[in-house]
Amino acid sequence: MDSLTQIALGSAVGVAVMGRRTAVWKAALWGAVAGTLPDLDALIDHGDPILNMTRHRAESHALFFLTLAAPLLAGIVSRLHGEATLFRRWWLALWLVLITHPLLDAMTVYGTQLLLPFTDHPYGVGSIFIIDLAYTVPLVVGVVAALRLKNPLGQRWNAAGLVLSTLYLAWSFGAQQHVDRIARASLQQAGIETQGLLVTPAPFNTVLWRLVATTPTQYHEGYYSLLDDQAEVRWTAYPRGGDLIERHGHTEPVARIAAFSHGFFSLHNGGDRLLLTDLRMGLEPTYTFRFDLGSPTAVGHVPVTQLGMRPDLGRALPWLWQRLQGNTLSTLGVATP
């Protein structure tokens, strides 16, 4: 999730666990710090954009390592504030702050390696977008109320914010499962036999959902809004580069993205360059993670570069808003290099 959300969650958890045992500002401050710490791995440059992508949310987001770090951080905080008698409480609070960070990240589609060093499997439920104000605002309101009121009522506001945000997270998962059933029925009706199906929310909401279904040679993109009149999906097919995947799938960069994306990727020729795309994050034809692998004859032996592409927000946001309301629209199809 975005940094503001992680700060708000960390502060809310810190305030809730510490209660009135220490000053509210201390609990909120150190909750925010601990809630930010795991994402500092983004500052590490592994020398390759694909490695930078796949090594983010790795050791710094692993429950095992964060559990080891919690008592060390609690020791620093309790000594700094002269609260040695509260060491165990600080330990519990900061441990919960640290582990709720990757657990929340795992609800997005990106991929969080929660169980390192035992497995590097990237967990990604994909039921919530990386920025969703419906999740973040209750946390912010609760923490601000706790800081301003500095009494039991403020603590109740903070607890209410945590409850509401958690309920929204549960709602997102339930909505995702509902849309998944509709998508699978639609694929069966259309006679599309898929290798995988991705169901993830469109930006900033959990009403409109983006669907991606893969076959060996194509990927099919569709959208479904909970406000649609009919429980059906209109699919648009795109070439996935099956022959290129068969030819280059064993190379290190392609194999790495294939594993990290759980198979939701494509390959295609861009002139004399081979382009690798993670299909999970973006709106056709713009994607957050698209990589230039170099000449097809040199894949794996030349530096990889990441291609920056973003949608034309002037057209993308109105399109998303109209589609969210259940209006049937053609594919967006807008790209800005």
Side-chain angles (χ1 to χ4, degrees):
M1 297 291 285
D2 64 283
S3 297
L4 174 61
T5 299
Q6 292 291 8
I7 289 172
L9 176 62
S11 292
V13 172
V15 169
V17 177
M18 294 306 298
R20 302 180 67 184
R21 297 171 181 83
T22 190
V24 175
W25 71 265
K26 295 178 186 178
L29 172 64
W30 287 107
V33 170
T36 301
L37 285 177
D39 278 343
L40 295 182
D41 69 334
L43 302 177
I44 301 173
D45 184 1
H46 297 278
D48 177 271
I50 290 181
L51 285 177
N52 288 341
M53 176 191 178
T54 59
R55 295 303 300 160
H56 179 44
R57 299 193 186 177
E59 285 83 1
S60 69
H61 287 61
L63 300 180
F64 177 78
F65 294 123
L66 292 175
T67 297
L68 294 180
L72 301 177
L73 184 57
I76 293 172
V77 173
S78 59
R79 290 193 177 190
L80 181 65
H81 294 296
E83 298 177 345
T85 57
L86 292 178
F87 167 73
R88 289 188 178 181
R89 198 68 183 186
W90 276 114
W91 183 354
L92 175 63
L94 294 174
W95 176 70
L96 287 172
V97 171
L98 288 171
I99 67 167
T100 52
H101 177 122
L103 290 174
L104 176 58
D105 276 349
M107 297 301 291
T108 70
V109 76
Y110 185 93
T112 305
Q113 297 169 54
L114 292 173
L115 299 184
L116 281 172
F118 310 107
T119 174
D120 61 357
H121 180 82
Y123 294 92
V125 175
S127 67
I128 192 168
F129 191 66
I130 58 171
I131 301 173
D132 193 326
L133 292 179
Y135 178 84
T136 306
V137 168
L139 295 173
V140 173
V141 171
V143 171
V144 170
L147 288 169
R148 289 182 64 86
L149 296 176
K150 300 178 183 178
N151 58 30
L153 179 59
Q155 292 286 339
R156 288 195 289 272
W157 272 90
N158 183 68
L162 279 168
V163 170
L164 287 174
S165 64
T166 303
L167 288 175
Y168 181 73
L169 209 57
W171 148 261
S172 76
F173 181 75
Q176 181 191 43
Q177 301 310 302
H178 171 67
V179 176
D180 182 274
R181 289 191 291 270
I182 291 173
R184 292 186 185 279
S186 177
L187 287 168
Q188 185 176 17
Q189 184 176 6
I192 302 173
E193 296 184 7
T194 65
Q195 292 179 320
L197 173 64
L198 177 72
V199 179
T200 191
F204 317 126
N205 78 105
T206 52
V207 175
L208 177 62
W209 295 78
R210 177 175 178 259
L211 316 170
V212 179
T214 58
T215 73
T217 59
Q218 293 180 316
Y219 61 95
H220 302 258
E221 184 185 58
Y223 288 86
Y224 180 77
S225 171
L226 299 180
L227 302 180
D228 282 353
D229 292 332
Q230 297 181 338
E232 61 181 11
V233 180
R234 297 175 61 183
W235 300 96
T236 304
Y238 301 93
R240 189 178 170 213
D243 56 335
L244 295 174
I245 293 174
E246 185 174 352
R247 195 177 314 152
H248 301 285
H250 66 282
T251 61
E252 198 278 337
V254 179
R256 182 176 288 274
I257 290 296
F260 192 73
S261 68
H262 304 290
F264 292 98
F265 72 99
S266 69
L267 276 177
H268 69 273
N269 284 313
D272 60 347
R273 320 294 287 182
L274 191 64
L275 304 182
L276 171 63
T277 303
D278 185 326
L279 299 173
R280 298 173 302 158
M281 289 163 278
L283 305 171
E284 185 65 37
T286 59
Y287 290 94
T288 305
F289 295 102
R290 175 170 286 160
F291 304 96
D292 180 347
L293 305 184
S295 169
T297 59
V299 175
H301 303 287
V302 295
V304 174
T305 57
Q306 184 171 345
L307 303 178
M309 295 190 72
R310 58 182 177 83
D312 180 348
L313 295 181
R315 295 184 62 182
L317 292 180
W319 182 89
L320 286 170
W321 175 244
Q322 290 296 320
R323 186 63 191 86
L324 179 150
Q325 296 178 74
N327 297 323
T328 302
L329 303 172
S330 60
T331 303
L332 179 61
V334 176
T336 301

